[in-house]
Every structure is written in structure tokens, then in C-alpha cells.
């Protein structure tokens, strides 16, 4: 039986814990203690109240549970490195990590700094929390797993099989960097605009915002080209990126995007992990990024007002 520690008991962390618990020894780690019994609502609407093993970071240091086969980091992008730093004294440096963050900030930094294998996961599983003791698995998706330098294919395959067995369909891939940047491109076109304007994703299709989406995608498409990230669906540059963004807007029209949820809750957003790598790349390649920089500045002002 494999042993999984899940660092960050947000929606994806708790969904992972619920899914893995029946087939693997699983421990959910966070700063705060959680109720021992946790409710999972399935996409079909079934409710399961299950005991989940959870520990605070402070308890971990003294209780020393069995060492993990994998440590999943499921915090927000900006918190991943400090969360890892909080447990490094409790695990061997050879422990495989699995990074579930949005954007492209934590992944290259932790891959470079951590001596052991670092896998990255990108998922379209939909989940949200309903409080300290509940998570709703809102929609089934797919998870792709790989590492940035394609050095740990067998480990990625083992993890993909475990996740699939746990009911979270997953595939090992050799192009996780491409997939992370593709998701980042879509997030950059949707998240800042909806967060700054307090609207659901679908409203971006309206006259008030559609032109701004096109402006963002123009800059993003040029940056993707410079980064060697293939346009989606074997398409052509800007048009293909725009088509993907409109498709995601359509599919998630009723969603309150994660960045809007952060702004509403007065939490720091993931702008540093989504807009940050794009702006850094544009500057490195001498490309225009006034629109992206403008969005980042506006979000920084909003965050400063919290
Ligand atoms: O991933 C998303 C998010 O909310 O972060 C999008 C694609 C914008 C859907 O809401």
C-alpha cells in the first residue's frame, strides 16, 4: 500500500484525500485542525461521510507517521514553497513531490530546489469546499502528470495509475510544461478580468469585456510562441488561443473563477503565478505586455486594499 501526504486541505486536497483513502494510507496536512469526519458529495449528488486522517503541521513534527511514498502539495501557488519548507524536517530529501498548483511559478522553482523527484499535475476535476468538513466533487475531469525534465516517467506512470484506481482519471504525459503553460494562458485571459470586474466567466462574451479578452490573448499568443508552447488543437497562433479561451468561457459560463473568489474573500490572488511568468517571459523576449502588466498592477492595488 502506498502512503500519501496531502499538504494543503483545500478543495483539490480534500478531494484527493477522499479518493485515495480507500486504497492508500492518506494523511491530510494543514495549519489548522480539521473535523475527523469529512463529507464528500459526488458529481452524482451522493453524500459520503468518511473519516479522514488529518494532522496539523505542528502535530506532524511530534507524531511522525509512516514516511510518505508521495507528498502532494495542493496549496495555492503562492504558498507552495513555504508549505514545503514547513515539512522538510519530517521527510527525506529523496521523497517524490507532486505539485498541483496553477500557473508556472512553484513548479520550476521547486523542481530546481528539491533533490528528489518532482512531478507536476494539472487537473480539470471540479471541486469546491462547503466548510471545514465538506467538499463537493462538482464535475469529473482528467488529470495529467509528468515532470518538467522528463526524468521520472515511471514514477509519473505509477502515480497516474494510482489516481485512476482512486477514481480520478489520470494519464502520464511527456509534455507537462506545455500543458501547464496552456492552462496558464487560458487562466490569464479569464481570471484577472473577471476578478477585477466582479463578473462570472460567461459575462466576458459581452460587449463590455470581449475586446479586452482579445487584447490579452494577443499578448499571450506572442509569449507562447516565444516560449515554444504549441497553439491548442493543432491550430494557428492567436486564433487558436482565442478559440480555446472562448470555448473555456462557454464551458464555464456560470463559474465564479478562482481569482474572483480570492478577491471576494480578500485573499491574495494567484496573479504572481499566472501573470508573473507571462510578464517575465515577455520582458526576457522583448515582447509587448502592457495589457498584462496593467492587469497585474490593478490586481496589486486591489490586494493592497485588503
Ligand atoms: O480555471 C479557472 C479558474 O477559475 O481558475 C477557469 C478556467 C477560469 C474557470 O473558472
Amino acid at each position: 500500500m502506498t502512503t500519501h501526504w496531502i499538504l494543503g486541505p483545500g478543495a483539490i486536497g480534500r478531494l484527493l484525500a477522499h479518493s485515495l483513502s480507500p486504497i492508500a494510507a492518506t494523511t491530510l496536512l494543514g495549519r489548522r485542525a480539521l473535523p475527523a469526519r469529512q463529507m464528500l458529495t459526488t458529481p452524482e449528488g451522493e453524500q459520503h461521510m468518511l473519516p479522514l486522517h488529518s494532522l496539523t503541521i505542528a502535530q506532524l513534527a511530534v507524531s511522525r507517521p509512516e514516511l510518505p511514498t508521495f507528498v502532494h502539495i495542493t496549496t495555492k501557488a503562492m504558498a507552495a514553497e513555504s508549505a514545503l519548507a514547513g515539512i522538510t524536517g519530517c521527510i527525506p530529501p529523496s521523497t517524490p513531490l507532486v505539485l498541483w498548483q496553477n500557473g508556472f511559478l512553484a513548479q520550476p522553482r521547486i523542481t530546481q530546489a528539491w533533490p528528489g523527484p518532482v512531478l507536476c499535475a494539472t487537473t480539470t476535476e471540479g471541486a469546491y469546499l462547503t466548510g471545514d468538513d465538506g467538499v463537493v466533487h462538482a464535475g469529473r475531469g482528467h488529470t495529467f502528470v509528468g515532470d518538467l525534465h522528463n526524468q521520472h516517467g515511471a514514477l509519473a506512470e505509477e502515480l497516474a495509475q494510482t489516481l485512476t484506481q482512486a477514481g480520478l482519471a489520470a494519464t502520464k504525459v511527456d509534455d507537462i510544461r506545455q500543458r501547464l503553460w496552456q492552462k496558464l494562458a487560458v487562466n490569464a485571459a479569464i481570471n484577472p478580468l473577471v476578478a477585477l470586474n466582479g463578473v462570472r466567466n460567461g459575462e466576458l462574451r459581452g460587449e463590455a469585456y470581449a475586446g479586452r479578452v482579445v487584447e490579452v490573448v494577443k499578448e499571450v499568443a506572442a509569449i507562447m510562441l516565444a516560449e515554444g508552447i504549441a497553439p491548442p488543437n493543432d491550430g494557428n497562433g492567436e486564433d487558436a488561443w482565442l478559440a480555446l479561451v472562448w470555448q473555456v468561457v462557454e464551458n464555464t459560463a456560470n463559474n465564479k473563477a478562482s481569482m474572483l473568489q480570492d478577491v471576494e474573500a480578500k485573499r491574495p490572488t494567484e496573479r504572481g503565478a499566472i501573470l508573473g511568468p507571462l510578464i517575465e517571459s515577455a520582458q526576457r523576449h522583448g515582447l509587448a505586455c502592457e495589457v498584462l502588466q496593467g492587469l497585474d498592477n490593478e490586481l496589486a492595488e486591489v490586494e493592497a486594499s485588503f
Side-chain angles (χ1 to χ4, degrees), residues 2-301:
T2 51
T3 301
H4 297 251
W5 290 7
I6 300 164
L7 181 56
I12 290 295
R14 270 190 252 177
L15 175 62
L16 259 183
H18 274 290
S19 306
L20 287 167
S21 283
I23 63 162
T26 306
T27 299
L28 200 48
L29 298 169
R31 275 176 307 196
R32 284 184 311 116
L34 287 177
R37 293 179 69 75
Q38 293 276 326
M39 175 79 86
L40 168 71
T41 306
T42 69
E44 295 73 35
E46 289 163 23
Q47 296 202 308
H48 302 289
M49 192 57 125
L50 295 167
L52 287 188
H53 183 237
S54 71
L55 290 175
T56 64
I57 305 300
Q59 287 169 332
L60 178 71
V62 284
S63 76
R64 298 277 166 165
E66 189 188 331
L67 287 174
T69 321
F70 291 100
V71 172
H72 301 263
I73 305 183
T74 52
T75 60
K76 290 271 187 190
M78 317 304 287
E81 286 169 281
S82 60
L84 174 60
I87 64 156
T88 45
C90 303
I91 53 174
S94 56
T95 305
L97 305 179
V98 190
L99 308 181
W100 291 79
Q101 280 65 39
N102 277 331
F104 198 73
L105 183 73
Q107 296 89 341
R109 292 170 67 132
I110 294 180
T111 297
Q112 201 188 355
W114 186 249
V118 178
L119 302 181
C120 304
T122 174
T123 187
T124 54
E125 296 289 349
Y128 60 89
L129 295 179
T130 52
D132 256 11
D133 64 351
V135 62
V136 175
H137 188 186
R140 293 191 196 284
H142 201 94
T143 301
F144 296 97
V145 184
D147 67 282
L148 293 183
H149 303 303
N150 281 327
Q151 291 170 332
H152 305 293
L155 198 64
E157 181 62 46
E158 181 192 333
L159 178 66
Q161 282 180 15
T162 303
L163 291 172
T164 302
Q165 201 192 340
L168 302 173
T171 309
K172 170 234 154 187
V173 291
D174 296 331
D175 60 353
I176 196 72
R177 181 176 177 274
Q178 293 261 340
R179 288 169 188 273
L180 291 167
W181 274 96
Q182 285 199 351
K183 187 169 185 199
L184 177 153
V186 172
N187 280 328
I190 299 176
N191 267 311
L193 284 174
V194 293
L196 288 167
N197 294 289
V199 296
R200 298 215 175 219
N201 296 354
E203 290 193 50
L204 293 181
R205 295 170 294 194
E207 226 176 88
Y209 307 111
R212 308 254 359 241
V213 174
V214 174
E215 281 174 7
V216 177
V217 171
K218 212 182 230 337
E219 287 187 356
V220 168
I223 296 167
M224 292 296 133
L225 185 65
E227 284 294 328
I229 307 300
N233 304 318
D234 294 327
N236 234 334
E238 206 176 303
D239 289 348
W241 288 109
L242 200 52
L244 175 64
V245 168
W246 288 132
Q247 186 198 321
V248 174
V249 166
E250 193 69 34
N251 294 347
T252 62
N254 227 352
N255 271 26
K256 233 183 216 189
S258 53
M259 202 176 270
L260 174 56
Q261 294 181 40
D262 289 338
V263 166
E264 286 185 348
K266 299 196 186 311
R267 287 189 297 252
T269 71
E270 292 191 303
R271 70 185 173 88
I274 294 171
L275 295 172
L278 288 168
I279 293 169
E280 187 275 320
S281 168
Q283 287 166 347
R284 193 163 20 91
H285 293 288
L287 295 169
C289 64
E290 287 76 23
V291 178
L292 294 167
Q293 187 68 68
L295 291 169
D296 195 44
N297 293 346
E298 278 184 68
L299 282 166
E301 271 176 41

